[in-house]
Amino acid sequence: MKEERDGQVDWADELDDEQSLYEHFRIVVDPGQSPLRIDKFLQEHQQHSSRNRIQKAADAGFIHVNDIPVKSNYKVRPNDVITLMLNRPRHDNSIVPENIPLDIVYEDEELMVVNKEAGMVVHPGAGNFHGTLINAVAWHLKDNPKFDPNDPEVGLVHRIDKDTSGLLVVAKTPEAKSKLGVQFFNKTTHRNYLALVWCNFTEDSGRIEGNIARDPKDRLRMAVFPPDSEIGKPAVTHYRVVERFGYTTLIECILETGRTHQIRAHMKHIGHPLFFDERYGGDEILRGQRSSTYKAFIQNCFKLCPRQVLHAQTLGFKHPVTGKQMDFTSPLPNDMNAVIEKWRGYIHGFQTSEDIYNN
């Protein structure tokens, strides 16, 4: 059996025509779609699938258009119904309640605000079908007859990465999710993050604008493209320097949009990867001395906070029913505090600030 990630599968299985076929993926082509090879079209819509894998799936008869198998050179047309059909049932993605502790910052009849710890996946998928935040929410609300964790009209309104800590809002009712969703779409919510990034900034604040899309060289990573490139989705991040450590900088990031890996991709794009962000190159020593002492210091920092140093610190929105402004702040988690304090101690060991800031 091949791996299934986020409801997506390894499409390079072998087809047995004598067995029943099961639908694993479905997409309806937009009415305005121009003719495009189906392998290229699906590559753009399946983040974990390479073009070569899609071509093999088509050649094996897995990919159907309007219930008919097609080859990889088929050109999609407006309103085509594309399905991936395999000879085994899909993984059961039903969300089951699990007794997992939650740090609930606020709760009423309409919503919950949760402070997520680093390392917890927010929603089942990508090989994490248990132990997620939404499994914990399902347990917490198991006696609430109005909340069905498998109903897409309730639940998470937005997400943060597994190894990012901080605040999330969960809607208990369809009305709450709809109205909160509109606020996120219209960019009227307030979300601030604290991040430790590599290198020193010459300016105290700035703005990053660049479209975000899947990196064609690594489908698990996002890349930044020019705003006028028509590739990806528009994204804007504002940042402000909070504290300088010479080789690294603590910054506050204010999101104008909320794209996948937005802060991580934008900071990588301007040459400031997040400290210990393995996906975006922050797990290497990008600035500083060549001494064994300094290398040991960095490795100790990595051990103190073995993740990208990013925290969703503040979250603000209008209550979906009362209209009251709701603002929440989450304190820095212990691992981030520890690594920041270690950097403070390190720079205080220099005789003058110029020794480190000009290195």
Side-chain angles (χ1 to χ4, degrees):
M1 182 174 292
K2 301 296 183 179
E3 182 181 4
E4 185 168 318
R5 316 179 193 86
D6 284 334
Q8 300 170 20
V9 296
D10 187 331
W11 293 3
D13 294 348
E14 293 182 0
L15 182 65
D16 183 348
D17 291 330
E18 296 181 358
Q19 295 187 18
S20 299
L21 296 180
Y22 302 87
E23 182 179 306
H24 281 241
F25 172 78
R26 169 183 290 259
I27 187 170
V28 179
V29 180
D30 290 338
Q33 174 68 48
S34 57
L36 184 67
R37 281 180 58 113
I38 196 167
D39 53 355
K40 187 174 181 181
F41 176 86
L42 287 174
Q43 183 185 18
E44 294 176 354
H45 290 81
Q46 284 283 301
Q47 64 185 29
H48 294 294
S49 298
S50 67
R51 191 169 180 180
N52 179 259
R53 181 182 296 168
I54 294 168
Q55 289 171 346
K56 288 182 178 179
D59 292 342
F62 279 129
I63 299 176
H64 295 198
V65 175
N66 304 324
D67 298 324
I68 299 174
V70 298
K71 297 301 182 182
S72 57
N73 63 353
Y74 173 86
K75 290 190 176 181
V76 300
R77 301 179 177 88
N79 301 313
D80 272 350
V81 179
I82 302 173
T83 52
L84 171 67
M85 308 297 294
L86 299 180
N87 58 359
R88 58 181 174 81
R90 285 191 57 150
H91 187 286
D92 183 4
N93 290 335
S94 298
I95 298 168
V96 296
E98 296 180 32
N99 188 6
I100 302 169
L102 280 175
D103 181 4
I104 300 173
V105 177
Y106 174 84
E107 182 175 13
D108 61 24
E109 293 298 315
E110 307 295 329
L111 58 88
M112 297 168 54
V113 176
V114 178
N115 188 27
K116 185 187 84 70
E117 63 181 21
M120 175 180 274
V121 176
V122 297
H123 197 280
N128 298 285
F129 296 105
H130 301 283
T132 73
L133 177 75
I134 203 64
N135 291 117
V137 169
W139 178 274
H140 180 74
L141 299 176
K142 65 182 186 301
D143 296 325
N144 183 342
K146 297 180 180 180
F147 185 84
D148 177 1
N150 293 289
D151 182 355
E153 293 188 350
V154 296
L156 288 167
V157 181
H158 62 120
R159 304 186 185 192
I160 58 178
D161 297 334
K162 171 186 175 182
D163 289 326
T164 299
S165 54
L167 297 170
L168 286 163
V169 60
V170 178
K172 293 185 179 182
T173 67
E175 179 186 16
K177 187 167 185 179
S178 176
K179 290 186 176 181
L180 287 168
V182 168
Q183 293 182 53
F184 277 87
F185 180 80
N186 291 333
K187 307 170 189 175
T188 58
T189 58
H190 307 289
R191 286 176 292 164
N192 292 13
Y193 290 70
L194 280 181
L196 183 69
V197 301
W198 277 104
C199 310
N200 188 36
F201 285 82
T202 57
E203 66 284 347
D204 291 330
S205 62
R207 179 180 184 273
I208 309 168
E209 181 176 6
N211 291 8
I212 291 182
R214 291 286 163 186
D215 188 333
K217 297 180 181 179
D218 183 349
R219 303 297 289 175
L220 298 180
R221 186 171 64 187
M222 308 304 288
V224 180
F225 299 87
D228 58 354
S229 66
E230 298 184 356
I231 301 175
K233 296 180 179 180
V236 177
T237 303
H238 301 267
Y239 65 88
R240 178 183 67 85
V241 171
V242 176
E243 192 170 355
R244 299 176 187 273
F245 305 119
Y247 303 144
T248 59
T249 309
L250 182 64
I251 61 172
E252 178 187 32
C253 295
I254 301 95
L255 296 184
E256 191 172 308
T257 54
R259 309 304 182 197
T260 301
H261 294 187
Q262 178 171 320
I263 294 173
R264 300 167 67 189
H266 269 172
M267 286 298 150
K268 167 71 172 179
H269 180 65
I270 65 170
H272 294 275
L274 269 63
F275 193 74
F276 204 46
D277 188 345
E278 293 180 311
R279 180 75 60 195
Y280 291 89
D283 58 337
E284 300 177 6
I285 300 177
L286 301 181
R287 185 60 57 90
Q289 305 172 9
R290 298 179 181 272
S291 69
S292 59
T293 301
Y294 179 72
K295 292 178 181 178
F297 164 77
I298 294 298
Q299 292 303 318
N300 286 334
C301 287
F302 287 165
K303 290 177 182 178
L304 285 173
C305 190
R307 63 179 177 102
Q308 68 259 11
V309 187
L310 181 63
H311 179 64
Q313 184 180 42
T314 68
L315 175 63
F317 53 85
K318 289 187 181 298
H319 194 280
V321 174
T322 67
K324 178 183 176 182
Q325 180 64 34
M326 311 285 287
D327 293 293
F328 303 93
T329 301
S330 168
L332 277 178
N334 291 335
D335 57 355
M336 277 188 66
N337 258 327
V339 77
I340 290 169
E341 284 298 324
K342 198 165 186 66
W343 272 105
R344 287 182 182 135
Y346 183 80
I347 63 168
H348 288 330
F350 282 76
Q351 292 182 350
T352 68
S353 60
E354 292 182 358
D355 290 337
I356 184 169
Y357 287 97
N358 295 331
N359 192 310

